Amino acid sequence: MANVTVIGAQWGDEGKGKIVDWLASRADAVVRFQGGHNAGHTLVIDGTTYKLSLLPSGIVTGTLSIVGNGVVLDPWALKAEVEKLIGQGVAITPDNFAIADNCPLILPIHRDLDQLRETAAGKGKIGTTGRGIGPAYEDKVGRRAIRVCDLAHLDTLDPQLDRLCAHHDALRAGFNEPPVDRARLIADLKEIAPFVLQFAQPVWKRLRDVRKEGARILFEGAQGVLLDVDHGTYPFVTSSNTVSGTVASGSGVGPGSAGFVLGIVKAYTTRVGSGPFPTELQDEVGQRLGERGHEFGTVTGRQRRCGWFDAVLVRQSCAISGVTGIALTKLDVLDGFDTLKICTGYKLRGEVIDYLPSHAADQAEVEPVYEEMEGWKGSTAGARSWADLPAQAVKYIRRIEELIDCPVASVSTSPERDDTILVRDPFED
Ligand code: IMP
């Protein structure tokens, strides 16, 4: 398999960064295929910290980095991110960075609408990142979006703007907001257009060409399968398809291109934002997981909710996304617990089930069925081989493999790149 696809198999924040960085350093091209600047990760290379939100992880090391058409692109956020990285000495040019010219834009009116809705929803809010992701995807599917290629045709944009503004003006009126300032929107787009257009191209073509040359491609997923708009905990989800199948539609390659699908799985469970979370711990155990795991959002700084490992959810994610192997992360956070619990099924109205049902009310009602395991006394932090792990930690991993019906490809035991037990190398598999 020449290519590797990395996806989160829980609710995002599984620790994709470290693994993606390692894989990106060995890939010929890195492609983002969904989501937008709601994602975020921090890279530390030779003592310098780089923060990425929208740009693919290969950018810092000069690897060809591509934003696919499945992404929603905020051109102003992109410019700020690019300028910051250039200021840190990273080279970003049309030679090593490409944006799909059919990629829809996130406009200021999308951010407005996202935030207006969340504020109005009060307790019922989704807990979005407030970046305009959902409204931008709505306009794409509603055939009203302004896309990257439109930036080269701003003088003939009026019919599209009529449709877009009519829609948004009606929505804004419902929130007592003034109509879209169309003149300002056009002026802002004119100003940003040259910056974006220097990178714009049909990326399906670029990908076809590099594949012909035998390139190894890393498809970099954002968020996690349980935030997928179809398969996640709807409506508490993001607005894109986060599953591995999106690689094809979100970048313009065939469905066989995903290659080795690496599902990133945290050794416990976290979630940020609202929505059902069967194994959530609102006690000192949950607090301990949060503190030891530094569970705060990279984009919004919000505290993440924490809970025991939920094998039902991960088994479901692995099946839905065709996961070849998992990368288990943050095992060291579980060091020192006397007992650990793993959720193996759910109780719903007296019946035990082995999957997460689709209806939101059922998802909120399911009660976890736990299996208890003895914890381990020693430390797993920094382990680089099975022999470095306490026997109970190995048992915990083996039990997870069994329950999720998917093999472990690697185990991560600290934020350091080398503190990893590598079982299968996805690029060599
Ligand atoms: P949105 O993507 O901003 O619309 O947010 C929808 C839901 O997805 C919220 O619960 C967010 O907290 C969650 N979300 C979006 N991006 C991420 C991410 O990168 N990591 C974890 N959760 C995310």
Side-chain angles (χ1 to χ4, degrees):
M1 284 182 186
N3 301 337
V4 175
T5 295
V6 169
I7 52 142
Q10 292 153 315
W11 277 293
D13 309 316
E14 297 91 353
K16 288 187 276 296
K18 169 178 154 176
I19 289 142
V20 162
D21 300 338
W22 172 64
L23 292 168
S25 68
R26 299 160 60 227
D28 302 303
V30 185
V31 183
R32 281 277 313 264
F33 55 91
Q34 49 73 228
H37 65 313
N38 47 352
H41 83 258
T42 304
L43 278 175
V44 183
I45 296 178
D46 297 332
T48 309
T49 302
Y50 305 93
K51 285 194 184 294
L52 301 179
S53 231
L54 186 59
L55 291 168
S57 288
I59 201 80
V60 177
T61 46
T63 309
L64 173 62
S65 295
I66 291 179
V67 169
N69 57 278
V71 168
V72 278
L73 182 113
D74 180 327
W76 298 278
L78 173 78
K79 187 161 184 267
E81 195 173 320
V82 167
E83 283 175 351
K84 186 153 184 232
L85 285 173
I86 288 177
Q88 290 185 285
V90 176
I92 303 178
T93 68
D95 282 337
N96 68 350
F97 180 49
I99 301 172
D101 57 2
N102 50 348
C103 187
L105 298 181
I106 301 181
L107 304 172
I109 52 176
H110 296 126
R111 200 184 47 226
D112 291 351
L113 190 56
D114 195 356
Q115 293 172 2
L116 286 165
R117 281 178 178 157
E118 286 284 273
T119 307
K123 273 188 141 184
K125 69 180 180 184
I126 303 290
T128 71
T129 58
R131 304 273 154 113
I133 305 290
Y137 275 118
E138 285 170 38
D139 281 346
K140 166 181 168 169
V141 183
R143 295 165 288 200
R144 297 178 291 272
I146 310 291
R147 307 195 299 172
V148 167
C149 51
D150 293 318
L151 294 173
H153 300 274
L154 288 175
D155 293 337
T156 53
L157 202 62
D158 270 339
Q160 247 161 293
L161 276 176
D162 288 344
R163 272 203 305 277
L164 183 71
C165 291
H167 182 78
H168 279 265
D169 285 348
L171 290 170
R172 292 169 70 93
F175 291 104
N176 291 320
E177 288 291 312
V180 178
D181 185 342
R182 197 165 154 153
R184 167 128 191 239
L185 178 59
I186 287 276
D188 288 346
L189 288 171
K190 276 195 174 141
E191 197 190 340
I192 199 78
F195 173 79
V196 178
L197 288 172
Q198 65 178 314
F199 303 112
Q201 57 180 269
V203 302
W204 65 267
K205 216 157 150 285
R206 182 91 178 247
L207 284 169
R208 180 197 63 188
D209 295 345
V210 297
R211 288 180 69 211
K212 272 190 188 158
E213 292 160 12
R216 305 211 281 196
I217 302 173
L218 173 65
F219 294 98
E220 179 183 0
Q223 294 87 45
V225 173
L226 295 163
L227 288 169
D228 182 278
V229 69
D230 286 293
H231 297 287
T233 45
Y234 192 90
F236 300 100
V237 292
T238 191
S239 297
S240 65
N241 283 110
T242 57
V243 293
S244 61
T246 315
V247 158
S249 60
S251 55
V253 295
S257 304
F260 189 110
V261 179
L262 185 66
I264 315 297
V265 175
K266 206 183 282 194
Y268 49 100
T269 314
T270 63
R271 149 160 231 177
V272 60
S274 324
F277 182 171
T279 62
E280 182 171 15
L281 294 165
Q282 283 168 320
D283 57 10
E284 67 277 8
V285 179
Q287 211 173 334
R288 184 167 162 198
L289 288 171
E291 279 164 15
R292 289 188 55 110
H294 308 290
E295 297 296 353
F296 292 91
T298 24
V299 173
T300 57
R302 289 179 294 176
Q303 194 166 353
R304 297 179 188 139
R305 301 153 65 194
C306 298
W308 292 121
F309 186 80
D310 190 333
V312 180
L313 294 183
V314 176
R315 182 167 61 227
Q316 192 156 325
S317 293
C318 288
I320 287 168
S321 250
V323 170
T324 320
I326 66 158
L328 191 69
T329 63
K330 295 186 117 172
L331 182 69
D332 54 304
V333 173
L334 298 182
D335 287 356
F337 279 86
D338 289 334
T339 45
L340 298 168
K341 290 186 184 179
I342 301 180
C343 171
T344 58
Y346 298 136
K347 235 190 221 162
L348 181 64
R349 294 186 282 277
E351 206 188 314
V352 175
I353 55 171
D354 64 357
Y355 67 98
L356 185 74
S358 297
H359 197 267
D362 289 343
Q363 291 180 353
E365 204 180 318
V366 294
E367 281 175 42
V369 176
Y370 285 119
E371 174 176 296
E372 259 188 36
M373 286 187 79
E374 203 185 305
W376 50 88
K377 294 275 177 297
S379 163
T380 64
R384 296 182 185 187
S385 77
W386 291 109
D388 294 340
L389 292 179
Q392 270 306 119
V394 177
K395 255 192 184 170
Y396 183 74
I397 299 169
R398 293 299 180 213
R399 186 63 185 137
I400 284 178
E401 268 183 323
E402 222 168 66
L403 288 168
I404 66 170
D405 200 17
C406 192
V408 164
S410 69
V411 181
S412 167
T413 56
S414 100
E416 296 298 321
R417 186 186 273 190
D418 293 336
D419 291 344
T420 303
I421 302 169
L422 187 63
V423 183
R424 288 165 81 180
D425 181 339
F427 270 127
E428 302 300 333
D429 207 76

